[in-house]
Amino acid sequence: MTKKELFEEIKNNLIEMEEEVVEELCKKSLEMGIPAKETIQEGLIAGMEVVGQLYEEEEYFLPEVLICSDAMNIGIDVLKPHLEGDVSADKIRAVIGVVEGDTHDIGKNLVKIMLEAGGIEVHDLGRDVVLDEFVNKAKEVDAHFIIMSTLMTTTMEGMKIVIEKLKAEGMRDSVKVAIGGGPISQRFATEIGADLYTKDANEAVRKIKEIHEAA
């Protein structure tokens, strides 16, 4: 089996909710000497992206999505000890969550996985996060970044409110804000004063590191 074929097998079995098969295939990827980060990106995340599309198209519903997420997490558990993370003392700390009023967290979970694979310390607040909690958690862990997502236009305004709360607490200069999600655009990010907008999880990791190094 080639590397490409293995990734396709992982992706397809994740979509088909075959948890045990995903686990064995992830173990096989390590035996083949494939970098864990590559397997996560090209196999597990590629599969969850399809699951996300199936959910949006109403071919999959929440129970199927949760089983697929479990399959992904089982694969992550196999691969995570073999990730080559950032071992520097100045580790980037990020708080991530889905803003209040929205319970869609597939995209947020994908970004979280890639951030952790990139060596970033992630504090995940989950979904439907009360806006004050972003600021409180950032203060608690001395975060460098707050990362917010939403798939609903009705909750987008919450992102702006969090930025205003950071200003009120005197934290805006030390905490950068990254946003993303279906209805979010660069124009909206600019309007509310966010530091970063991206659609791609890999690009998010790269840009966060660039912003941190430039600070």
Side-chain angles (χ1 to χ4, degrees), residues 98-139:
V98 182
V99 293
E100 188 172 11
D102 190 352
T103 58
H104 301 88
D105 64 356
I106 292 177
K108 183 269 295 178
N109 290 339
L110 297 179
V111 173
K112 176 192 174 185
I113 290 164
M114 290 312 298
L115 291 170
E116 290 179 333
I120 294 170
E121 181 182 313
V122 182
H123 298 267
D124 185 6
L125 299 177
R127 56 192 181 181
D128 192 16
V129 179
V130 176
L131 302 180
D132 282 334
E133 186 60 21
F134 284 104
V135 179
N136 293 340
K137 191 66 177 180
K139 191 183 296 183

Side-chain angles (χ1 to χ4, degrees), residues 146-162:
I146 287 177
I147 304 166
M148 296 178 282
S149 71
T150 187
L151 281 179
M152 300 171 64
T153 56
T154 52
T155 58
M156 289 168 61
E157 187 68 16
M159 296 175 168
K160 181 180 179 182
I161 292 171
V162 170

Side-chain angles (χ1 to χ4, degrees), residues 53-123:
Q53 291 167 8
L54 291 172
Y55 180 70
E56 288 179 17
E57 293 164 3
E58 297 186 350
E59 291 187 39
Y60 272 20
F61 297 94
L62 194 56
E64 290 87 354
V65 172
L66 291 174
I67 296 170
C68 292
S69 295
D70 286 343
M72 178 186 70
N73 288 329
I74 287 168
I76 292 290
D77 287 342
V78 171
L79 298 165
K80 200 169 184 179
H82 301 274
L83 287 171
E84 297 176 3
D86 186 351
V87 296
S88 67
D90 184 26
K91 197 165 190 178
I92 302 172
R93 293 179 296 279
V95 171
I96 190 170
V98 182
V99 293
E100 188 172 11
D102 190 352
T103 58
H104 301 88
D105 64 356
I106 292 177
K108 183 269 295 178
N109 290 339
L110 297 179
V111 173
K112 176 192 174 185
I113 290 164
M114 290 312 298
L115 291 170
E116 290 179 333
I120 294 170
E121 181 182 313
V122 182
H123 298 267

